[in-house]
Amino acid sequence: MYVKINVYFFNFLPQWNQKNIYNTPFYATREKRLKIARLTNKYLEKYSTLNNFKFINIFEELIDESGNINSAYIHDDVHFNRKIIPSMLKQI
């Protein structure tokens, strides 16, 4: 009776190593932002599952063992390149 749709959520992306260019009073270190992103992804995945949404999580593929963004996926100072698409499509 109702049209079935699939809702997809994509993980938070790893953080770049950017300085506090806006001089905000609190600016977390890259390590703390990495921890926040992982925790946020954990909650997104949990609530996506509870609500029958799909969750695409390629976060760990985008970083190296040190938690830095894997240079193979970098397009410029802000964007990822197309190499992340096959990993995303595998999960869809």
Side-chain angles (χ1 to χ4, degrees):
M1 186 167 151
Y2 299 102
V3 176
K4 182 180 177 187
I5 61 170
N6 289 317
V7 176
Y8 290 85
F9 283 96
F10 187 68
N11 63 260
F12 269 43
L13 294 171
Q15 303 296 305
W16 298 94
N17 195 12
Q18 182 179 10
K19 305 283 187 246
N20 185 1
I21 61 173
Y22 300 109
N23 297 317
T24 58
F26 176 74
Y27 192 76
T29 63
R30 186 186 56 76
E31 291 79 16
K32 188 160 193 151
R33 288 182 281 136
L34 184 65
K35 191 179 215 179
I36 292 167
R38 280 185 168 131
L39 184 61
T40 302
N41 286 333
K42 179 180 164 186
Y43 284 113
L44 279 174
E45 185 167 21
K46 176 183 176 181
Y47 290 106
S48 292
T49 301
L50 289 173
N51 291 288
N52 294 318
F53 299 147
K54 313 283 188 219
F55 184 65
I56 298 170
N57 189 358
I58 62 169
F59 185 86
E60 298 300 327
E61 289 182 52
L62 299 176
I63 59 174
D64 62 20
E65 56 280 343
S66 302
N68 296 313
I69 294 177
N70 186 334
S71 61
Y73 296 110
I74 295 175
H75 174 69
D76 57 27
D77 290 341
V78 177
H79 303 96
F80 287 92
N81 61 31
R82 294 180 188 186
K83 291 181 182 174
I84 69 170
I85 294 172
S87 296
M88 291 171 55
L89 290 175
K90 261 193 280 186
Q91 293 195 25
I92 294 174

